[in-house]
Amino acid sequence: MASHKSCPTGILGGTFDPIHYGHLRLGEELGDALGLEHVRLVPAKLPPHRAEPEVSAQHRLAMARLAAAGNPLFVVDDRELRREGPSYTADTLLELRNELGNQVPLCLMLGVDAFVALMTWSRWRQLFDLAHLVIATRPGYSLEVGQLPEPLGAITRERIATGFGTAPSGCVLIREIAALDISASSIRQALARRHSTRYLLPDSVLDYIRAHHLYRGTHGG
């Protein structure tokens, strides 16, 4: 049996309300660029920094599973939906460390906006001890390390790297990915207004949304 040591794993969290091609392409590109064994899609139950998701955890989990179907890179991980209370990333990484051991490289995938606000997260410093932080940027929208708030800026400058090698955690990696200007909020608004959302999210997810009459009006106007 292969050792966990040779199986770097990505973690991509979010409300996935609904999951769309922006999420999936980010996971696919970073997984390919970093040679990851899997990318875990982790739907949040109660995100501390966002409004409560519009649809239930059951629906968001079902949509994530439909979106991931057929791609062996993706694994849908429902641990935050099973956990009581707010969905803290530090708790998720600690659980994964307990399950996978201390040697497997874990790569926490974040957008630039999330990383810039990292100091507002619970136990944010601990994240660097538990995983590598992989920041996804878009063409023309890079991460300005010199403009990060302190002490996040100092920690980033100290830990920025071109790769993680065999280290299990501690590096900050910046990777440019394809510019897909898709947001879950814009999809919800379009669905509420009965506008087309085809090619913004997988057909299987759109079919599920229609079958269960989701996103039918609270984000209209």
Side-chain angles (χ1 to χ4, degrees):
M1 181 179 292
S3 167
H4 285 313
K5 201 169 185 177
S6 61
C7 302
T9 296
I11 299 98
L12 178 58
T15 53
F16 301 140
D17 189 27
I19 195 167
H20 54 68
Y21 281 134
H23 300 127
L24 299 172
R25 186 61 201 175
L26 186 155
E28 180 76 15
E29 284 200 39
L30 294 183
D32 181 59
L34 299 174
L36 302 183
E37 184 78 9
H38 294 108
V39 172
R40 291 175 179 257
L41 303 175
V42 187
K45 182 177 184 179
L46 295 171
H49 297 94
R50 292 171 177 254
E52 186 172 339
E54 181 172 336
V55 304
S56 70
Q58 178 183 2
H59 283 314
R60 293 184 292 111
L61 178 62
M63 289 187 286
R65 286 174 170 161
L66 286 169
N71 187 339
L73 176 67
F74 291 135
V75 175
V76 178
D77 187 328
D78 68 349
R79 71 182 62 238
E80 292 188 357
L81 302 181
R82 290 184 278 108
R83 198 163 63 218
E84 292 301 321
S87 301
Y88 293 121
T89 300
D91 291 335
T92 297
L93 294 178
L94 281 168
E95 287 180 4
L96 286 170
R97 276 282 167 235
N98 289 333
E99 293 169 17
L100 301 178
N102 292 325
Q103 297 306 309
V104 56
L106 296 180
C107 298
L108 177 64
M109 301 175 175
L110 300 170
V112 171
D113 291 347
F115 184 68
V116 169
L118 195 69
M119 286 168 47
T120 67
W121 292 30
S122 175
R123 292 160 286 158
W124 67 272
R125 291 175 184 267
Q126 189 177 20
L127 302 180
F128 294 91
D129 298 325
L130 295 169
H132 303 296
L133 274 61
V134 185
I135 317 306
T137 68
R138 297 173 294 173
Y141 188 51
S142 61
L143 175 64
E144 298 296 336
V145 176
Q147 297 179 15
L148 289 171
E150 298 298 346
L152 178 61
I155 293 173
T156 301
R157 289 189 291 273
E158 177 184 341
R159 294 174 179 263
I160 198 164
T162 57
F164 57 81
T166 59
S169 62
C171 295
V172 175
L173 308 177
I174 301 173
R175 292 288 185 274
E176 185 176 286
I177 64 170
L180 295 180
D181 191 15
I182 304 172
S183 71
S185 60
S186 65
I187 290 174
R188 293 195 299 268
Q189 290 169 8
L191 289 166
R193 296 166 182 162
R194 309 299 195 267
H195 293 170
S196 173
T197 56
R198 179 170 286 184
Y199 309 126
L200 297 177
L201 67 174
D203 287 345
S204 58
V205 175
L206 184 55
D207 290 343
Y208 183 94
I209 289 170
R210 289 169 173 165
H212 291 84
H213 310 291
L214 305 181
Y215 309 113
R216 279 300 186 99
T218 58
H219 285 74

